[in-house]
Amino acid sequence: MGPIMSEKPVIDIALKTPKGDWRDPRVDFRKGTFSYASLPKDLSALGLPNPRKWQPTDLDWQLPPDWKRILLDGMKERLEKYRSFRLFMDVCVRCGACADKCHFYLGSGDPKNMPFARAELVRSIYRRYFTLSGKLFGSLAGGRELTEDVVKEWFYYFYQCTECRRCSVYCPFGIDTAEITMIVRELLSLIGVSTHWIMEPAAKSFQVGNHLGIPPHAFKDSLEFAADELRDITGLDIEIPINRKGAEILFVMPSADYFATPHYYTLLGYMMLFHEIGLDFTVSAYASEGGNFGSFHSNDLMKSLNAKIYDEARRLGVKWILGGECGHMWRVLHQYMDTMNGPADFLEMPVSPITGTRFENAASTRMVHICEFTADLIHHDKLKLDPSRNDPYVVTYHDSCNPSRGMGLLEEPRYVLKNACNNFHEMPASTIREYTFCCGSGAGLGNDENMEMRLRGGFPRANAVRHVREEHGVNLLTCICAIDKATLPTLMDYWVPGVQVAGVHEMLGNALVMTGEKERTVNLRGEPLAKGAADA
């Protein structure tokens, strides 16, 4: 695939080796390439250290007087606690297998965004202070002194990593650069260095229950509005139960599904599905957020924010949990929830009340992904679908990094799409499934002040979409991640104009033929259905 061309100048990408020594930590906080600093009120709400007003462009970051000791003590603690961290510090041979696999390196041309080189920014500190050769020979052994400029360098580059883990797929030693990023962000948080776009949603989730800070009455109003919309579209009275004790299933979704677009149309699809199969479920105004911005900050915060899901499942007395379309929700669930918040022995093994399928893969967490659930319904012929209703769309699918590479959810969303749509085309094999390119805005980087870096990081994904648009006329990019649905529209508008973004269950909702529905004339976006589809 060649570069995307435009009549007007676009972001320049020059893969050139810069002049100077790589060990020089100084960085240029140029507008559009970094995130704003966290606010004192959010750090205080979460009980985190060193709350103060500052910005990355300030000369003085107002670090604690003993900031160096705090960081080195933090490194020592994590080297002892996480065997993988020490292994990743020691085992890398800088072979370069990961170099061109990072979307931020491909989009920025900055060598320090090569995964091995980004890790070298902290590995050099490890060598200097935690190895005998580094203590004796310093820079001759590849060590660097820990200075305030190094702290700024860490902030700049470890917030240019979306923890997507594509590089780890290609690493011959299995080094997980995402884990290195997570640990460095934890270290920075010990001295009060974090970003607003992560800490504000985390604080709101801690205080209110969701990232957007939506109070229970607004949550209720939003779902009631969705029910009214569904009545207009389908002619059916669709109930969305809230805080109902004794329901069989607790359904948890990201807050964007009931307060943002195009996520909202996915919510409509969920609720149509649940109504049609008569699912005994409830949502919770307390566990009103499946996402977890704590996963972009620290293990402790991740654990704290995730606890509300099990807490509410216990309070409401449900049997098991069903989760919606969200990326980091499922990364946290699949890799951390059982040990952080479990065991969920107060819940039952998830069994579909419609098909009888036992979801053995959820034996420990007792939580099933909506795509697994829906694919099982389709496989057992429990849904009537009219894919011609989606004929205006030529669809492709973006494997969101966390559900795909993080938990292996590859076939189920495709199975749903292929049954709900007539026109589906895959992007090139080297850009999807476990090799998928990131959206460029995950792990808390999807803010507007970081727009240039978002567009650079998203370039490889957009280039693959451009390919199928040119080859097949693709005009819709689907995915199962709330962050992707929020950030991919901007990416498409810039690199591939004319391609919209949607959730998988929006496509399902369009195609779903419901018992007793009125003649459907519009899809979930209020757009006219394909000619003839309304009569199918």
Side-chain angles (χ1 to χ4, degrees), residues 432-447:
I432 59 173
R433 299 179 184 271
E434 62 265 47
Y435 305 111
T436 186
F437 273 116
C438 181
C439 69
S441 298
L445 306 186
N447 48 71

Side-chain angles (χ1 to χ4, degrees), residues 163-224:
E163 304 173 10
C164 81
R165 310 171 89 201
R166 188 172 193 262
C167 54
S168 67
V169 174
Y170 295 89
C171 177
F173 298 101
I175 294 173
D176 187 350
T177 303
E179 187 169 336
I180 298 174
T181 294
M182 293 168 74
I183 288 175
V184 174
R185 289 189 182 186
E186 272 198 24
L187 294 174
L188 290 173
S189 74
L190 297 176
I191 56 175
V193 175
S194 53
T195 67
H196 174 64
W197 209 73
I198 292 174
M199 302 319 301
E200 183 181 49
K204 288 180 177 178
S205 190
F206 183 77
Q207 294 169 312
V208 181
N210 57 72
H211 292 154
L212 300 178
I214 299 168
H217 65 275
F219 174 72
K220 178 176 179 290
D221 288 348
S222 182
L223 295 184
E224 288 178 349

Side-chain angles (χ1 to χ4, degrees), residues 32-73:
T33 64
F34 65 92
S35 300
Y36 293 155
S38 50
L39 297 178
K41 66 178 180 66
D42 297 323
L43 296 189
S44 297
L46 294 167
L48 296 173
N50 198 23
R52 79 262 181 231
K53 289 185 178 180
W54 68 286
Q55 286 300 336
T57 50
D58 295 343
L59 184 62
D60 181 6
W61 281 21
Q62 305 174 54
L63 303 180
D66 56 346
W67 65 267
K68 186 172 181 178
R69 178 194 60 77
I70 293 172
L71 288 179
L72 293 176
D73 285 351

Side-chain angles (χ1 to χ4, degrees), residues 146-317:
L146 181 55
T147 65
E148 290 192 33
D149 281 339
V150 168
V151 172
K152 294 178 181 181
E153 180 187 46
W154 283 4
F155 177 85
Y156 187 74
Y157 285 105
F158 286 100
Y159 282 96
Q160 285 181 30
C161 171
T162 49
E163 304 173 10
C164 81
R165 310 171 89 201
R166 188 172 193 262
C167 54
S168 67
V169 174
Y170 295 89
C171 177
F173 298 101
I175 294 173
D176 187 350
T177 303
E179 187 169 336
I180 298 174
T181 294
M182 293 168 74
I183 288 175
V184 174
R185 289 189 182 186
E186 272 198 24
L187 294 174
L188 290 173
S189 74
L190 297 176
I191 56 175
V193 175
S194 53
T195 67
H196 174 64
W197 209 73
I198 292 174
M199 302 319 301
E200 183 181 49
K204 288 180 177 178
S205 190
F206 183 77
Q207 294 169 312
V208 181
N210 57 72
H211 292 154
L212 300 178
I214 299 168
H217 65 275
F219 174 72
K220 178 176 179 290
D221 288 348
S222 182
L223 295 184
E224 288 178 349
F225 181 82
D228 289 342
E229 285 233 85
L230 286 172
R231 185 181 301 108
D232 292 340
I233 294 170
T234 68
L236 300 172
D237 290 322
I238 294 178
E239 180 188 4
I240 307 178
I242 304 173
N243 297 340
R244 182 167 66 84
K245 289 188 175 182
E248 180 177 1
I249 295 166
L250 170 64
F251 180 64
V252 181
M253 57 188 152
S255 54
D257 281 356
Y258 52 86
F259 231 80
T261 55
H263 315 66
Y264 176 72
Y265 309 118
T266 303
L267 166 68
L268 299 183
Y270 299 150
M271 297 308 147
M272 292 169 67
L273 172 67
F274 297 165
H275 177 85
E276 178 61 18
I277 63 176
L279 192 68
D280 180 16
F281 81 103
T282 186
V283 296
S284 164
Y286 173 61
S288 56
E289 179 64 75
N292 193 325
F293 270 50
S295 63
F296 309 148
H297 175 268
S298 66
N299 286 330
D300 287 343
L301 187 56
M302 182 198 318
K303 177 180 179 179
S304 175
L305 297 184
N306 208 49
K308 63 181 177 293
I309 297 177
Y310 279 166
D311 288 347
E312 196 67 344
R314 183 181 285 104
R315 185 184 75 86
L316 294 174

